[in-house]
């Protein structure tokens, strides 16, 4: 019958063919390093029917229910204080019933009934992946139909014939230009005539003066 020892947040199972040393020594089965714990503080042993804890002559003693003990049978879960009746290191010792705690093993499945597995992992993945249709913007464009372009015959530019209104407008513009030239010509001749007359008079006055 194994023994479960719980201390400082740790749990350790001690087999019934092992004599476990409790103390601060590095060789201890259950090592507890703190003030008040001797190097060899106590010993755990199984006598064939029950576990026992025995103080190994520690300086500060081992205690159960506030009483210092020398040897104590552990017939059920028992809390022992090491080094002080109430403020010492607590050690919970619990005999373990293998039949009560044993877990039933799962029955093995015969090879003939074992489900067949695929040797290729990718096949198993593909079996559970549904085909997904890509969205329209990810699809490849379909080839466009071959359409033969029909060339249209070129149309020759059509000459625009002059209308009567256009001819009248051109004729009026030419007439205005001729009148402007005529008016400018008479003005020029008048200026020439005046200039010539002034020149003759100036010459004549000069001659008379001499």
């Amino acid at each position: 019958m194994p023994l479960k020892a719980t201390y400082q947040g740790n749990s350790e199972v001690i087999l019934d063919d092992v004599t476990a040393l409790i103390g601060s020594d590095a060789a201890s089965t259950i090592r507890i390093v703190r003030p008040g714990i001797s190097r060899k503080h106590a010993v755990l042993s199984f006598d064939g029917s029950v576990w026992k804890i025995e103080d190994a002559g520690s300086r500060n003693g081992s205690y159960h229910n506030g009483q210092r003990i020398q040897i104590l049978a552990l017939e059920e879960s028992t809390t022992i204080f090491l080094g002080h009746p109430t403020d010492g290191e607590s050690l919970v010792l619990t005999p373990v019933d293998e039949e009560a705690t044993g877990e039933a093993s799962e029955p093995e499945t015969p090879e003939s009934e074992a489900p067949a597995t695929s040797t290729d992992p990718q096949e198993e993945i593909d079996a559970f992946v549904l085909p997904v249709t890509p969205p329209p913007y990810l699809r490849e464009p379909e080839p466009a139909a071959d359409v033969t372009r029909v060339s249209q015959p070129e149309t020759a530019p059509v000459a625009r014939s002059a209308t009567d209104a256009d001819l009248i407008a051109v004729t009026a513009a030419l007439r205005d230009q001729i009148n402007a030239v005529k008016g400018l010509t008479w003005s020029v001749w008048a200026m020439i005539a005046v200039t010539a007359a002034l020149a003759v008079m100036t010459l004549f006055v000069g001659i008379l003066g001499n």
Side-chain angles (χ1 to χ4, degrees):
M1 178 185 297
L3 180 69
K4 180 180 179 181
T6 304
Y7 60 98
Q8 295 182 341
N10 301 320
S11 295
E12 184 172 349
V13 177
I14 303 170
L15 300 180
D16 52 16
D17 59 349
V18 175
T19 299
L21 174 64
I22 305 171
S24 61
D25 190 83
S28 300
T29 307
I30 300 176
R31 189 182 184 192
I32 302 174
V33 180
R34 60 164 286 177
I37 304 298
S38 301
R39 294 181 59 192
K40 297 180 180 180
H41 200 100
V43 177
L44 293 170
S45 62
F46 185 70
D47 63 1
S49 60
V50 66
W51 279 93
K52 295 180 180 180
I53 181 171
E54 182 177 359
D55 190 84
S58 64
R59 180 176 180 179
N60 297 300
S62 304
Y63 301 86
H64 175 60
N65 291 334
Q67 300 295 325
R68 186 164 184 168
I69 60 172
Q70 182 59 39
I71 188 170
L72 180 67
L74 305 172
E75 297 179 354
E76 58 184 3
S77 181
T78 305
T79 301
I80 304 296
F81 284 89
L82 306 177
H84 192 275
T86 57
D87 296 333
E89 183 68 35
S90 64
L91 177 65
V92 180
L93 303 172
T94 305
V96 179
D97 188 352
E98 293 180 335
E99 295 181 357
T101 59
E103 297 181 356
S105 59
E106 296 182 358
E108 295 182 358
T109 303
E111 294 183 359
S112 59
E113 299 179 3
T117 57
S118 174
T119 57
D120 187 2
Q122 187 61 39
E123 293 181 2
E124 297 181 1
I125 296 174
D126 295 340
F128 291 96
V129 177
L130 297 177
V132 179
T133 303
Y137 58 84
L138 293 180
R139 300 176 188 170
E140 296 184 359
E142 298 181 357
D146 187 10
V147 179
T148 304
R149 184 180 297 273
V150 179
S151 59
Q152 298 294 335
E154 297 182 359
T155 304
V158 178
R160 183 182 178 184
S161 59
T163 62
D164 295 340
D166 294 337
L167 292 176
I168 294 173
V170 172
T171 303
L174 291 176
R175 187 183 301 111
D176 292 338
Q177 292 294 331
I178 293 172
N179 293 333
V181 171
K182 286 182 178 180
L184 180 61
T185 304
W186 287 109
S187 299
V188 171
W189 281 110
M191 291 179 63
I192 293 174
V194 172
T195 303
L198 291 175
V200 171
M201 292 178 63
T202 301
L203 179 62
F204 182 73
V205 171
I207 294 172
L208 295 176
N210 293 329

